[in-house]
Amino acid sequence: MRRTTRVTAVAAALAATLLTGSAMASATTTISTSTSTSTSKPSVRPCGTEDVSFYFGGYSYGLSHRSFDITLLAHDGITCTLSDTPLITLRTPPEETAKIPLTVNGRGGTLVLRPDSPLHATVAYSIPDLPENKVQVNGLTLAMPDGSSRGTSFLFPGTTEISKGGVLVTSWTTGIGGGEGEER
């Protein structure tokens, strides 16, 4: 009986020592892992126009409504951030004196743009039903968080007549879209 008790006690002490040693090693690994990831994790920089390709696509038209998509795709190896609110402004020809109302949606968040996750916004507008309801637009400019911007035509080269009601730009959304030719 004594021998069995002594063997059991030694086995229990050995198991406790091994368990304590393994718990210490695990704790050390956890501490060093969490320390190294927090110090080596780089911050993602704001997007610039040189970081992305810019596409038009998804043109849609009905009796009085028109829309098209703007797609941003990060270049290979680029990861950058931007606001979920597209920073778009409209340009008018010199003879246009009326200001075009522009509504841009967003939720107030920050998005991360990666090569495998394009972002899309839809530009929607109406065509004028009467000549006195028209305004002309000939371009749009997309500003980026780093302060750079890229200007291009308003979908088609030249001047487009739209309704005085203005233009709606939706929030950026993610996913594969129907982008066509790249705009530079």
Side-chain angles (χ1 to χ4, degrees), residues 19-139:
L19 252 140
T20 305
S22 116
M24 290 289 284
S26 174
T28 304
T29 304
T30 304
I31 290 169
S32 65
T33 303
S34 66
T35 304
S36 66
T37 56
S38 66
T39 58
S40 67
K41 187 176 181 182
S43 63
V44 179
R45 64 184 174 81
C47 293
T49 54
E50 297 301 317
D51 299 328
V52 299
S53 293
F54 178 70
Y55 299 90
F56 283 132
Y59 180 66
S60 172
Y61 61 94
L63 289 175
S64 64
H65 297 286
R66 307 281 189 267
S67 67
F68 60 90
D69 293 333
I70 296 173
T71 299
L72 292 183
L73 181 64
H75 293 163
D76 286 343
I78 300 289
T79 299
C80 57
T81 61
L82 69 162
S83 165
D84 71 349
T85 304
L87 302 173
I88 291 177
T89 55
L90 301 176
R91 288 191 319 267
T92 58
E95 64 272 9
E96 181 61 62
T97 57
K99 183 171 171 62
I100 300 173
L102 177 64
T103 304
V104 183
N105 289 339
R107 296 169 298 280
T110 299
L111 301 170
V112 177
L113 181 61
R114 296 181 177 87
D116 62 348
S117 181
L119 297 175
H120 312 281
T122 299
V123 177
Y125 58 98
S126 295
I127 58 170
D129 52 354
L130 297 171
E132 58 268 14
N133 292 335
K134 76 173 183 176
V135 290
Q136 296 179 333
V137 61
N138 66 355

